[in-house]
Amino acid sequence: MGAPHARNVAISNALGEFITGIDDDDFIGVDRIFSFIKAWRVKKDNVVALYSDVYLLKKGGIAKIVKRKNEVVFEDLWKENYIGNQIFTKTKRLVKIGGFDENLPAWQDFDCWLRLLSMRDNGKDIKAARVNVASYYFDCSHDFERIKSSNYT
């Protein structure tokens, strides 16, 4: 049924206060969750999600760090998906926006971040913020497609 369905099942069954994700062909650094929790404790009030810089793994084991923008608001996302494909946020926020759109054949993460950052919190614009640790390893060194096939029509 595809990645968005699997992510929504995880969101609906999550018991923790916070949630994040990882794609099946990527991996994360051992300090990723710790760095998110540490940053969450000192973040600005209007920050509702955290993300990190990314290691881009290519054939031959070459890694490149993709540096992300420090803060992202809704309008920024219309220029580029500065957040990437995984965030750290409160589970209830993803539940509130209905999770990932299972009808989209691609870009479900981007759509989700747009909906998340389009909300207001006590009348304030909200943001996502970068944690200054590259802790997500985006593996594009393999020959298979990143998006798994599904029954999309």
Side-chain angles (χ1 to χ4, degrees):
M1 297 176 74
H5 176 76
R7 289 174 178 162
N8 287 339
V9 168
I11 292 166
S12 67
N13 286 289
L15 301 175
E17 180 180 0
F18 298 102
I19 194 163
T20 191
I22 181 171
D23 287 347
D24 63 349
D25 55 348
D26 297 333
F27 56 98
I28 60 173
V30 295
D31 59 344
R32 183 171 176 84
I33 304 302
F34 175 77
S35 66
F36 281 148
I37 292 170
K38 184 177 172 185
W40 193 269
R41 290 181 179 151
V42 297
K43 70 173 184 55
K44 297 175 186 172
D45 288 342
N46 64 335
V47 171
V48 299
L50 301 174
Y51 55 93
S52 73
D53 293 334
V54 175
Y55 283 102
L56 185 61
L57 304 177
K58 299 180 178 185
K59 286 187 180 187
I62 299 168
K64 172 186 171 188
I65 295 180
V66 177
K67 296 291 268 179
R68 306 261 190 220
K69 193 172 175 163
N70 285 334
E71 291 184 333
V72 176
V73 295
F74 175 79
E75 291 78 15
D76 293 329
L77 288 175
W78 291 111
K79 298 172 194 155
E80 182 178 333
N81 182 0
Y82 294 105
I83 295 173
N85 65 332
Q86 301 296 337
I87 62 164
F88 176 90
T89 191
K90 289 199 170 196
T91 305
K92 68 181 180 182
R93 287 206 177 264
L94 290 184
V95 169
K96 186 174 183 177
I97 64 167
F100 293 86
D101 188 338
E102 297 180 27
N103 295 310
L104 294 176
W107 293 88
Q108 304 93 351
D109 52 348
F110 177 67
D111 168 73
C112 190
W113 312 157
L114 279 170
R115 288 184 287 113
L116 181 68
L117 292 182
S118 70
M119 298 171 55
R120 295 180 62 78
D121 201 17
N122 295 323
K124 294 183 194 174
D125 287 331
I126 58 174
K127 299 178 179 184
R130 176 180 151 268
V131 173
N132 194 20
V133 175
S135 60
Y136 195 88
Y137 294 78
F138 187 89
D139 188 357
C140 56
S141 66
H142 47 73
D143 292 327
F144 51 89
E145 294 181 37
R146 288 205 46 89
I147 298 175
K148 306 297 183 263
S149 61
S150 183
N151 294 330
Y152 294 117
T153 55

